[in-house]
Amino acid sequence: MKTNFKQIYTSSGFSTVLMMIILMVMGLSLLISFNLLIVSWQKAILMESQYYQKFNQASSSLTWAIIQNWQPPKTNWYCMTDPNYHLKACIKKSLLKIDNYVLVRGEAKDFYLYTLTHFDNNRLIVEKGHWLDYCPEKKAIYCE
């Protein structure tokens, strides 16, 4: 007796192709999410870098202001600039009821640092502990 065993292979590799597509989609989604993470880190680093640049510029403006000769302060801001180093500082009489302070503002674009000083003989006299990163006046309009 003669038996003819013939195996018929009808699979055409569809499952392999499907598995490759699934792996490629998973890999692509991982790459996209990693790219979004990198972009968000870059934005955070850029914002932090810009903050520190402005902070250092405003701090330098305050330090520079202390060694300048100023006119007697009035109730409005009076500003001086140093074009070589792009420094800008302003002074005015503080509205605080104690100690007859002069408010000094160091500027860097839209960033401000403040310090409270005393005015004596066209010079600003700084006391320790009066550096501020906010305006001490009661109303924000008096800081503008």
Side-chain angles (χ1 to χ4, degrees):
M1 225 162 100
K2 210 173 185 194
T3 320
N4 221 350
F5 293 104
K6 206 176 196 186
Q7 292 182 340
I8 300 174
Y9 293 104
T10 58
S11 99
S12 58
F14 179 73
S15 61
T16 306
V17 171
L18 184 63
M19 183 59 93
M20 289 303 298
I21 289 173
I22 290 172
L23 287 174
M24 286 174 49
V25 167
M26 286 175 50
L28 184 61
S29 65
L30 282 172
L31 285 174
I32 289 171
S33 61
F34 185 67
N35 184 45
L36 291 173
L37 183 64
I38 295 292
V39 167
S40 71
W41 285 347
Q42 286 176 335
K43 286 180 183 177
I45 289 170
L46 179 64
M47 287 173 51
E48 196 166 323
S49 171
Q50 288 175 345
Y51 169 81
Y52 283 116
Q53 286 175 352
K54 289 178 184 180
F55 180 89
N56 289 332
Q57 187 75 20
S59 180
S60 295
S61 294
L62 277 180
T63 304
W64 172 78
I66 291 167
I67 61 171
Q68 301 304 310
N69 287 321
W70 292 89
Q71 297 177 2
K74 298 187 170 59
T75 56
N76 294 326
W77 289 107
Y78 170 71
C79 299
M80 291 176 64
T81 60
D82 181 355
N84 294 332
Y85 296 106
H86 306 290
L87 302 175
K88 182 176 181 183
C90 303
I91 66 168
K92 76 174 217 165
K93 282 185 182 179
S94 176
L95 297 175
L96 297 174
K97 300 291 184 207
I98 56 171
D99 277 348
N100 198 21
Y101 282 120
V102 173
L103 185 60
V104 182
R105 178 176 71 191
E107 299 184 14
K109 295 183 185 173
D110 58 346
F111 189 87
Y112 307 108
L113 293 176
Y114 300 89
T115 191
L116 292 170
T117 63
H118 292 286
F119 189 77
D120 184 32
N121 212 14
N122 292 347
R123 304 290 282 187
L124 298 173
I125 311 299
V126 179
E127 296 176 6
K128 287 190 177 212
H130 288 117
W131 178 89
L132 303 165
D133 58 353
Y134 62 91
C135 183
E137 303 293 350
K138 291 187 180 191
K139 293 186 180 178
I141 194 164
Y142 299 135
C143 298
E144 298 172 359

